[in-house]
Amino acid sequence: MRKGKLGRLIIAGISGLIALGISTSAFASANKVIDVSQYQGNINWAKTAKVTKMAIIRVQHGGETIDTKRNVNANGAAKHGVPFGQYTFAEFTSVKDAQTEARQFYSRSNSKAKFFVLDDEKHMSGVSSAAERKYATAWVTEMRKLTNKKLILYSGEWFASTVKFETSQFDGTWIANYSAKPKLKADLWQYSATGRVSGISGNVDMNKILDSSAVNSWIKGKATKYYHTAPASGQIKTLKKVRGYDDVNFKTKTGASYGKHKTLNVTGVQKSAGGAYRFVLDNGNFITANKTYVVTD
């Protein structure tokens, strides 16, 4: 059968790749979804990228233990074209702890991360299921003030079934069960802790996409409804209690908070490194410009 022009171009392209020593099977096999931390050691991202569709990278364990490979892994994944999210392992024991861990996590995250994950999989001493739900809600509420990227809940199936998280507050769910497919609704399934991937020495967590549309949306993200400009009146009104910060990236809180239905004077709008918009108040404080929390007069 005579080959057309397109066929000849495809064959020529494949031949060129082979001549350069690049395996064409690598492109077809880039379907693995992995999550990694410092425990995977030095990852050869050039090799790992050839078989990896998406990676999820640890940033911290609680608020005090920072993953030593968080930046190396984020930069390696980004350099080799692997889209990635980042996660924090929860150790909060109060609403205040949850809010603090959220701010610490965000301040330590990489700007190239496509989405953020709360890894909430064990009770701290004395924390009930009801309290765990409350703290997870506090975490996701705080993160909504910091970023417009998607927020995902990760947990083991037994723990999630026990706590009964309010998953509607999150943009997706990632459930671990090493013996069977989760019965709980899950977009991503962590099915093994003993996977093997090129470029990584030793075991690595492996995951299977259950809802490709949902997981693809994590990578693409979504636009939270923000005000992009200051109102002509120069005033806004809070719909909920909001916190004031010294900087546009919300890394340093001022100690000031503004209650519900409070009228505030604004001088402008600035965009954070993570893509979220902030109102600049006349006293120099920054607050969220998220329409869920404030309204223009």
Side-chain angles (χ1 to χ4, degrees), residues 56 86-90 92 105 115-122 132-140 143-144 149-157 159-176 182 184-190 207 215 218:
I56 308 173
Q86 292 187 301
Y87 76 93
T88 176
F89 187 99
F92 37 64
F105 172 52
F115 57 92
F116 298 120
V117 179
L118 172 64
D119 178 346
D120 196 341
E121 58 179 285
K122 77 170 198 176
E132 198 76 44
R133 288 194 300 273
K134 183 177 181 180
Y135 304 156
T137 294
W139 184 92
V140 75
M143 286 294 291
R144 294 288 183 205
K149 295 180 181 180
K150 289 207 170 185
L151 304 178
I152 312 305
L153 175 67
Y154 168 91
S155 191
E157 182 161 36
F159 189 75
S161 299
T162 302
V163 173
K164 302 187 186 315
F165 291 104
E166 296 180 28
T167 56
S168 63
Q169 300 175 100
F170 292 83
D171 300 306
T173 50
W174 173 22
I175 298 295
L184 291 178
K185 182 184 181 303
D187 304 311
L188 186 65
W189 169 26
Q190 186 183 86
N207 305 274
V215 174
W218 302 357

Side-chain angles (χ1 to χ4, degrees), residues 84-118:
F84 68 92
Q86 292 187 301
Y87 76 93
T88 176
F89 187 99
E91 285 198 328
F92 37 64
T93 57
S94 69
V95 167
K96 184 177 180 181
D97 280 350
Q99 293 169 332
T100 299
E101 284 189 26
R103 291 192 294 270
Q104 290 170 326
F105 172 52
Y106 180 72
S107 70
R108 295 164 180 162
S109 65
N110 188 284
S111 62
K112 294 184 176 66
K114 301 295 185 180
F115 57 92
F116 298 120
V117 179
L118 172 64

